[in-house]
């Protein structure tokens, strides 16, 4: 794992711990993080490419990250954003359908928006960094919660060892039923 990947994983995990202390499950945290990252990356992509973004005006990242958006106002706007996006047609509506804000403390939501997600340029990161970050969160959760992600998380060294033993060849079928991070598929491809 690169230094940037490790830094991102530590940052994400430390905040996960704070929200867990507030009663959020790891799954809830990951879901909320995904919603916010989607909005941030849609904003970055629109700025980078000049293309129209699929997120309707007033419900974009810039609205959540607005310095005037704090406290109950931020919490309500985030709830409204999730609801509005869930009502959209196409892929956007599918992604946000039935989404709900699970972060009850507006100050922690603000910190998540501004400090954790807002301070990073997510599109500039390589796919490896984002994949490492996700895999790192899964691994830490598996270590932290014995009955949680450990039931489907397979450490990268074990994946590589299994692939080395089996030595899959082009044209053969690889079954990875859980396919959390696609680790077996990626290792077999390399």
């Amino acid at each position: 794992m690169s230094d940037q990947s490790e830094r991102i994983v530590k940052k994400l995990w430390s905040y996960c711990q704070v929200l867990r202390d507030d009663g959020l499950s790891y799954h809830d945290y990951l879901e909320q993080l995904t919603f916010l990252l989607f909005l941030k990356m849609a904003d970055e992509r629109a700025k980078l490419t000049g293309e129209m973004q699929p997120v309707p005006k007033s419900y974009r990242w810039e609205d959540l990250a607005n310095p005037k958006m704090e406290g109950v106002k931020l919490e309500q706007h985030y709830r409204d954003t999730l609801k509005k996006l869930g009502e959209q047609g196409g892929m956007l509506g599918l992604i946000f359908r039935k989404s709900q804000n699970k972060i009850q403390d507006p100050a922690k939501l603000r910190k998540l928006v501004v400090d954790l997600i807002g301070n990073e340029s997510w599109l500039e990161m390589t796919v490896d960094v984002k994949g490492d970050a996700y895999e790192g969160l899964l691994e830490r959760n598996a270590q932290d919660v014995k009955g949680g992600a450990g039931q489907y998380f397979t450490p990268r060294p074990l994946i590589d060892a299994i692939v080395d033993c089996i030595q899959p060849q082009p044209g053969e079928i690889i079954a990875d039923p859980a396919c959390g991070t696609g680790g077996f598929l990626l290792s077999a491809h390399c």
Side-chain angles (χ1 to χ4, degrees), residues 83-102:
K83 184 176 186 281
K84 178 72 171 179
L85 297 180
E87 295 168 350
Q88 298 298 302
M91 185 62 72
L92 190 62
L94 288 174
I95 292 168
F96 286 93
R97 183 173 293 141
K98 297 183 181 180
S99 58
Q100 299 175 8
N101 175 21
K102 306 257 176 94

Side-chain angles (χ1 to χ4, degrees), residues 27-152:
H27 174 75
D28 290 339
Y29 169 72
L30 197 55
E31 177 185 63
Q32 298 302 302
L33 186 63
T34 303
F35 294 150
L36 292 168
L37 279 172
F38 180 93
L39 293 171
K40 174 71 159 84
M41 291 172 73
D43 183 66
E44 288 179 7
R45 181 183 171 97
K47 288 177 181 170
L48 185 67
T49 65
E51 294 175 8
M52 259 317 250
Q53 65 169 290
V55 180
K57 289 185 183 209
S58 300
Y59 300 98
R60 296 178 175 171
W61 177 258
E62 62 193 25
D63 301 301
L64 285 174
N66 184 328
K68 295 178 183 176
M69 193 67 70
E70 291 186 348
V72 175
K73 185 177 177 183
L74 172 63
E75 185 180 11
Q76 186 59 51
H77 185 72
Y78 182 50
R79 286 180 199 280
D80 293 344
T81 296
L82 294 176
K83 184 176 186 281
K84 178 72 171 179
L85 297 180
E87 295 168 350
Q88 298 298 302
M91 185 62 72
L92 190 62
L94 288 174
I95 292 168
F96 286 93
R97 183 173 293 141
K98 297 183 181 180
S99 58
Q100 299 175 8
N101 175 21
K102 306 257 176 94
I103 304 168
Q104 303 304 313
D105 183 343
K108 289 181 180 157
L109 176 59
R110 181 74 184 157
K111 187 170 175 59
L112 183 61
V113 168
V114 174
D115 296 340
L116 185 64
I117 297 172
N119 281 339
E120 300 292 338
S121 294
W122 295 90
L123 280 185
E124 291 178 7
M125 291 180 195
T126 65
V127 173
D128 288 345
V129 171
K130 289 178 266 197
D132 286 348
Y134 179 67
E135 193 169 282
L137 282 175
L138 283 177
E139 181 177 19
R140 286 179 183 227
N141 185 56
Q143 292 168 353
D144 190 52
V145 182
K146 297 303 175 204
Q151 61 195 348
Y152 60 83

